[in-house]
Amino acid sequence: MAVGCNKVETSEQSEGISQEYKDAMSKGKSNVIEEKYDKAIDYFKLALESKKDDTEAKNLIKQLNLLVEAEDSEEHGAYFFQIEKIDKINDIKTETDVVKDKANEYKKTVLKNIDDSIDSFEEEINDGKYKSAQKDLEDTIEECKKSDSLNEQLDRCNGLLKTCKEKKNEAEEQAKKEAEQKQQVASNSNSNGSTW
């Protein structure tokens, strides 16, 4: 009678998940938490070597590339570009939200920057710089329309644009009245002076 050794496989082994894959994914996620994104990408690539065509690792790499792109553009003040990248990160399906969590944490900073810009447009209106405020607001409104994430900012800009136009019209009307009054004073002076 032949006695053979039965090799017992765990369910993970039978599904083709190796320890190398699990370690690489775990280290990748840890590096995301520590904001070491390039290192995290390297670990997710290593996971792909252990488990070819793994959707989770591929999608985490895509998300990280978008997050790095968004963060790299910060110094250029490309806030709407950053929001677009963060929205794309949130659209990519993953089992873990580790990258999405970092992206959404970063999104708060970007939204604060956008809000600060809108505050400066309000200051322009208050300083009587209606033309530049109107242009800035119109440009910002067009950008805000591109993302559902910016509905609050869109509403605020639309309200400020309405206020800007109203104040601009009031200022133009006031300037027109003042010009008419000056002209009338000048014509009264001329008519009084001609009788001598």
Side-chain angles (χ1 to χ4, degrees):
M1 178 154 106
V3 177
C5 293
N6 285 340
K7 194 173 185 181
V8 177
E9 289 187 347
T10 65
S11 64
E12 287 180 341
Q13 287 171 325
S14 65
E15 291 174 12
I17 300 175
S18 69
Q19 189 61 42
E20 293 85 12
Y21 171 82
K22 289 181 354 185
D23 289 346
M25 290 296 285
S26 176
K27 288 177 182 176
K29 292 172 190 175
S30 294
N31 277 284
V32 170
I33 292 167
E34 295 171 18
E35 298 181 7
K36 297 177 182 174
Y37 302 136
D38 291 335
K39 209 171 183 181
I41 289 170
D42 290 340
Y43 278 114
F44 294 136
K45 286 180 179 177
L46 189 61
L48 276 173
E49 289 177 19
S50 298
K51 188 177 177 189
K52 305 277 187 240
D53 299 323
D54 181 58
T55 304
E56 182 73 359
K58 285 181 178 180
N59 286 344
L60 289 169
I61 291 169
K62 285 179 192 174
Q63 287 177 328
L64 281 169
N65 284 329
L66 289 166
L67 182 55
V68 168
E69 236 182 295
E71 288 189 351
D72 286 349
S73 68
E74 181 174 9
E75 63 193 48
H76 305 295
Y79 308 133
F80 299 106
F81 175 82
Q82 292 172 308
I83 291 293
E84 176 188 331
K85 297 300 173 192
I86 293 167
D87 287 347
K88 284 182 181 180
I89 290 167
N90 285 310
D91 288 342
I92 297 172
K93 303 288 183 236
T94 52
E95 293 172 21
T96 178
D97 287 340
V98 68
V99 178
K100 289 179 184 181
D101 290 344
K102 282 295 176 182
N104 289 322
E105 185 179 305
Y106 181 66
K107 184 178 187 175
K108 291 175 187 174
T109 302
V110 177
L111 290 172
K112 167 113 177 51
N113 291 336
I114 292 171
D115 288 336
D116 289 347
S117 293
I118 296 170
D119 289 344
S120 73
F121 305 153
E122 190 168 14
E123 288 174 23
E124 286 181 45
I125 294 169
N126 293 335
D127 293 342
K129 300 176 183 173
Y130 306 119
K131 188 175 181 179
S132 63
Q134 183 174 340
K135 177 166 180 4
D136 291 339
L137 285 165
E138 288 169 347
D139 291 346
T140 301
I141 287 168
E142 286 308 307
E143 292 297 327
C144 287
K145 286 178 181 178
K146 296 176 185 176
S147 172
D148 290 338
S149 300
L150 298 171
N151 287 334
E152 185 178 316
Q153 289 76 9
L154 178 61
D155 291 344
R156 185 169 172 220
C157 285
N158 279 323
L160 283 173
L161 182 60
K162 181 180 177 188
T163 300
C164 180
K165 287 178 177 180
E166 288 170 355
K167 287 189 173 191
K168 181 181 172 187
N169 287 339
E170 287 172 11
E172 288 171 352
E173 287 296 317
Q174 184 63 32
K176 188 177 176 182
K177 284 180 185 178
E178 288 173 6
E180 289 172 355
Q181 287 173 348
K182 283 182 183 178
Q183 188 175 3
Q184 190 160 11
V185 167
S187 68
N188 286 344
S189 298
N190 286 340
S191 66
N192 288 342
S194 63
T195 57
W196 290 80

